[in-house]
Coordinates of all heavy atoms in Angstrom, one line a residue:
A1 N 72.1 125.4 72.0 CA 73.5 125.7 71.4 C 73.7 127.1 71.6 O 72.9 127.9 71.3 CB 73.5 125.1 70.0
G2 N 75.0 127.5 72.0 CA 75.3 128.9 72.0 C 75.0 129.5 73.3 O 75.5 130.6 73.6
S3 N 74.3 128.9 74.2 CA 73.9 129.5 75.5 C 75.2 129.5 76.3 O 76.0 128.6 76.4 CB 72.9 128.5 76.2 OG 73.1 128.7 77.7
Y4 N 75.5 130.7 76.8 CA 76.7 130.9 77.7 C 76.8 129.8 78.7 O 77.9 129.2 78.9 CB 76.8 132.2 78.2 CG 76.6 133.5 77.3 CD1 76.0 134.6 77.8 CD2 77.0 133.4 76.1 CE1 75.8 135.7 77.0 CE2 76.9 134.5 75.1 CZ 76.3 135.7 75.6 OH 76.0 136.8 74.9
F5 N 75.7 129.5 79.4 CA 75.7 128.6 80.6 C 75.9 127.2 80.1 O 76.8 126.6 80.6 CB 74.4 128.8 81.3 CG 74.2 128.0 82.6 CD1 75.4 127.7 83.4 CD2 73.0 127.5 82.9 CE1 75.2 126.8 84.4 CE2 72.8 126.7 84.1 CZ 73.9 126.4 84.8
V6 N 75.1 126.8 79.2 CA 75.1 125.3 78.7 C 76.5 125.1 78.0 O 77.1 124.0 78.1 CB 73.9 125.1 77.7 CG1 74.1 123.7 77.2 CG2 72.7 125.2 78.7
E7 N 77.0 126.0 77.1 CA 78.3 125.7 76.5 C 79.4 125.7 77.5 O 80.3 124.8 77.4 CB 78.6 126.8 75.5 CG 77.7 126.8 74.3 CD 77.7 125.6 73.5 OE1 78.4 124.7 73.8 OE2 76.8 125.4 72.4
A8 N 79.4 126.4 78.6 CA 80.3 126.4 79.7 C 80.3 125.2 80.4 O 81.2 124.4 80.7 CB 80.2 127.5 80.5
L9 N 79.0 124.7 80.6 CA 78.8 123.4 81.4 C 79.2 122.3 80.5 O 79.9 121.3 80.9 CB 77.4 123.1 81.8 CG 76.7 123.9 83.0 CD1 75.3 123.6 83.1 CD2 77.5 123.4 84.2
T10 N 78.9 122.2 79.2 CA 79.4 121.2 78.3 C 80.9 121.1 78.4 O 81.4 119.9 78.4 CB 78.9 121.5 77.0 OG1 77.4 121.7 76.8 CG2 79.3 120.4 75.9
E11 N 81.6 122.2 78.2 CA 83.1 122.1 78.3 C 83.6 121.7 79.6 O 84.5 120.7 79.7 CB 83.7 123.5 78.0 CG 85.1 123.6 78.0 CD 85.7 123.0 76.8 OE1 85.0 122.7 75.8 OE2 87.1 122.7 76.8
E12 N 82.9 122.0 80.7 CA 83.5 121.4 82.0 C 83.2 120.0 82.2 O 84.1 119.3 82.7 CB 82.7 122.2 83.1 CG 83.2 123.7 83.5 CD 84.6 123.5 84.2 OE1 84.8 122.6 84.9 OE2 85.4 124.4 83.9
I13 N 82.0 119.5 81.8 CA 81.7 118.1 81.9 C 82.6 117.3 81.1 O 83.2 116.3 81.6 CB 80.3 117.9 81.6 CG1 79.2 118.4 82.6 CG2 80.1 116.4 81.2 CD1 77.8 118.5 82.2
E14 N 82.9 117.8 79.9 CA 83.9 117.1 79.0 C 85.2 117.0 79.5 O 85.8 116.0 79.7 CB 83.9 117.7 77.7 CG 84.8 117.0 76.7 CD 84.7 117.4 75.2 OE1 83.7 118.2 74.9 OE2 85.6 117.0 74.3
S15 N 85.8 118.2 80.1 CA 87.2 118.1 80.6 C 87.3 117.2 81.8 O 88.4 116.6 82.0 CB 87.7 119.5 80.7 OG 87.0 120.2 81.7
R16 N 86.4 117.4 82.7 CA 86.5 116.7 84.0 C 86.2 115.1 83.7 O 86.9 114.2 84.3 CB 85.4 117.2 85.0 CG 85.7 118.5 85.5 CD 84.8 119.0 86.5 NE 84.8 120.5 86.7 CZ 84.6 121.0 87.9 NH1 84.5 120.4 88.9 NH2 84.9 122.4 87.9
A17 N 85.5 114.8 82.8 CA 85.2 113.3 82.4 C 86.4 112.9 81.8 O 86.8 111.7 82.0 CB 84.0 113.2 81.5
N18 N 87.1 113.5 80.9 CA 88.3 113.2 80.3 C 89.5 112.9 81.3 O 90.1 111.9 81.1 CB 88.8 114.2 79.3 CG 88.1 113.9 78.0 OD1 87.9 112.8 77.5 ND2 87.9 115.0 77.2
E19 N 89.5 113.7 82.4 CA 90.4 113.3 83.4 C 90.1 112.1 84.2 O 91.1 111.2 84.4 CB 90.3 114.5 84.5 CG 90.9 115.8 84.0 CD 90.7 117.0 84.9 OE1 90.1 116.8 85.9 OE2 91.1 118.1 84.5
L20 N 88.9 111.7 84.3 CA 88.5 110.4 85.0 C 88.9 109.3 84.0 O 89.3 108.2 84.5 CB 87.0 110.4 85.3 CG 86.6 110.8 86.7 CD1 85.1 110.7 86.9 CD2 87.4 110.1 87.8
I21 N 88.5 109.4 82.7 CA 88.9 108.4 81.7 C 90.4 108.2 81.7 O 90.8 107.0 81.7 CB 88.4 108.8 80.3 CG1 86.9 108.9 80.2 CG2 88.9 107.8 79.3 CD1 86.3 109.3 79.0
A22 N 91.2 109.2 81.8 CA 92.7 108.9 82.0 C 93.0 108.2 83.2 O 94.1 107.3 83.0 CB 93.3 110.3 81.9
K23 N 92.4 108.3 84.2 CA 92.8 107.5 85.4 C 92.4 106.1 85.2 O 93.1 105.2 85.6 CB 92.0 108.1 86.7 CG 92.4 109.4 87.1 CD 91.6 109.9 88.4 CE 92.1 111.3 88.8 NZ 91.4 111.6 90.1
V24 N 91.3 105.8 84.6 CA 90.7 104.5 84.4 C 91.8 103.8 83.3 O 92.2 102.6 83.4 CB 89.3 104.3 83.8 CG1 89.0 102.9 83.3 CG2 88.4 104.8 84.8
D25 N 92.2 104.6 82.3 CA 93.1 104.0 81.3 C 94.5 103.6 82.0 O 95.2 102.7 81.8 CB 93.4 105.1 80.3 CG 92.4 105.3 79.3 OD1 91.6 104.4 79.1 OD2 92.4 106.3 78.6
D26 N 94.9 104.5 83.0 CA 96.1 104.2 83.7 C 96.0 103.0 84.5 O 97.0 102.2 84.8 CB 96.4 105.3 84.6 CG 96.9 106.6 84.0 OD1 97.3 106.5 82.9 OD2 96.9 107.6 84.6
L27 N 94.8 102.5 85.0 CA 94.6 101.3 85.7 C 94.4 100.0 84.8 O 94.2 99.0 85.2 CB 93.3 101.4 86.6 CG 93.6 102.5 87.8 CD1 92.2 102.7 88.4 CD2 94.5 101.9 88.7
G28 N 94.5 100.3 83.5 CA 94.3 99.2 82.5 C 93.0 99.1 81.9 O 92.6 98.0 81.4
G29 N 92.1 100.0 82.1 CA 90.7 100.0 81.5 C 89.7 99.5 82.5 O 90.0 99.1 83.4
S30 N 88.4 99.5 82.0 CA 87.3 99.3 83.0 C 87.4 97.9 83.6 O 87.1 97.7 84.7 CB 86.0 99.3 82.2 OG 85.6 100.8 82.0
V31 N 87.8 97.0 82.8 CA 87.8 95.5 83.3 C 88.7 95.5 84.6 O 88.4 94.7 85.5 CB 88.3 94.5 82.3 CG1 88.4 93.2 82.8 CG2 87.2 94.5 81.0
N32 N 89.9 96.2 84.5 CA 90.8 96.1 85.5 C 90.6 97.3 86.7 O 91.3 97.4 87.6 CB 92.3 96.4 85.0 CG 92.6 95.2 84.1 OD1 92.4 94.1 84.5 ND2 93.0 95.5 82.9
A33 N 89.6 98.2 86.4 CA 89.4 99.3 87.2 C 88.0 99.2 88.0 O 87.4 100.3 88.4 CB 89.4 100.7 86.5
I34 N 87.5 98.0 88.0 CA 86.1 97.9 88.7 C 86.1 98.4 90.1 O 85.2 99.0 90.5 CB 85.7 96.4 88.6 CG1 85.4 96.0 87.1 CG2 84.5 96.1 89.6 CD1 85.2 94.5 87.0
E35 N 87.1 98.1 90.9 CA 87.2 98.6 92.2 C 87.3 100.0 92.4 O 86.6 100.6 93.2 CB 88.3 97.9 93.0 CG 88.4 98.2 94.5 CD 89.4 97.5 95.3 OE1 90.1 96.6 94.7 OE2 89.6 97.7 96.5
F36 N 88.1 100.7 91.5 CA 88.2 102.1 91.5 C 86.9 102.9 91.2 O 86.5 103.7 91.9 CB 89.3 102.5 90.6 CG 89.4 103.9 90.2 CD1 89.9 104.9 91.2 CD2 88.9 104.5 89.1 CE1 89.8 106.3 90.8 CE2 88.7 105.9 88.8 CZ 89.3 106.7 89.6
I37 N 86.3 102.3 90.1 CA 85.1 103.0 89.8 C 84.0 102.8 90.7 O 83.3 103.7 91.2 CB 84.6 102.3 88.4 CG1 85.6 102.6 87.2 CG2 83.2 102.8 87.9 CD1 85.3 101.9 85.9
T38 N 83.9 101.7 91.3 CA 82.9 101.4 92.4 C 83.1 102.3 93.5 O 82.2 102.9 94.1 CB 83.0 99.8 93.0 OG1 82.8 99.1 91.8 CG2 82.0 99.6 94.0
N39 N 84.4 102.5 94.0 CA 84.6 103.3 95.2 C 84.3 104.8 94.9 O 83.8 105.6 95.7 CB 86.2 103.3 95.5 CG 86.5 101.9 96.2 OD1 85.6 101.1 96.6 ND2 87.8 101.5 96.1
E40 N 84.5 105.3 93.7 CA 84.3 106.7 93.2 C 82.8 106.9 93.3 O 82.3 107.9 93.8 CB 84.9 106.9 91.8 CG 86.3 107.1 91.8 CD 86.9 108.2 92.3 OE1 86.6 109.3 91.9 OE2 87.5 108.1 93.3
I41 N 82.0 105.9 92.8 CA 80.5 106.0 92.8 C 80.0 106.0 94.2 O 79.1 106.7 94.6 CB 80.0 104.9 91.8 CG1 80.2 105.2 90.5 CG2 78.4 105.0 92.0 CD1 79.8 104.1 89.5
D42 N 80.5 105.1 95.0 CA 80.1 105.0 96.5 C 80.3 106.4 97.1 O 79.6 106.8 98.0 CB 80.9 103.9 97.2 CG 80.4 102.5 96.6 OD1 79.4 102.5 96.1 OD2 81.1 101.5 97.1
E43 N 81.5 107.0 96.8 CA 81.7 108.3 97.6 C 80.7 109.3 97.1 O 80.3 110.1 97.9 CB 83.1 108.8 97.2 CG 83.6 110.0 98.2 CD 85.1 110.2 97.9 OE1 85.8 109.3 97.4 OE2 85.5 111.2 98.4
S44 N 80.5 109.3 95.8 CA 79.4 110.3 95.3 C 78.0 110.0 95.9 O 77.4 110.9 96.4 CB 79.3 110.2 93.7 OG 78.3 110.9 93.3
A45 N 77.7 108.7 96.1 CA 76.4 108.4 96.6 C 76.3 108.8 98.1 O 75.2 109.4 98.5 CB 76.1 106.9 96.6
W46 N 77.4 108.7 98.8 CA 77.4 109.2 100.2 C 77.2 110.8 100.2 O 76.5 111.3 101.0 CB 78.7 108.8 100.9 CG 78.8 109.5 102.3 CD1 78.3 109.0 103.4 CD2 79.4 110.7 102.5 NE1 78.7 109.9 104.5 CE2 79.3 110.8 104.0 CE3 80.1 111.7 101.8 CZ2 79.8 112.1 104.5 CZ3 80.7 112.7 102.5 CH2 80.4 113.0 103.9
G47 N 77.8 111.4 99.2 CA 77.6 112.8 99.1 C 76.3 113.3 98.9 O 75.8 114.2 99.5
Y48 N 75.6 112.6 98.0 CA 74.2 113.0 97.8 C 73.3 113.0 99.2 O 72.6 113.8 99.5 CB 73.5 111.8 96.9 CG 73.6 112.2 95.4 CD1 74.4 111.4 94.5 CD2 72.9 113.3 94.8 CE1 74.5 111.6 93.2 CE2 73.0 113.5 93.3 CZ 73.8 112.7 92.7 OH 73.9 112.9 91.3

């Protein structure tokens, strides 16, 4: 707590994750967003 680096990372993770949650909400929630979530993860896996 209070680390410049970790507090900045915490804020970045939270704000970026909230943007993704908003997209899933727009699709009607997780039950209706299975294809979207799967595609996002697949793209990340390819990136690794």
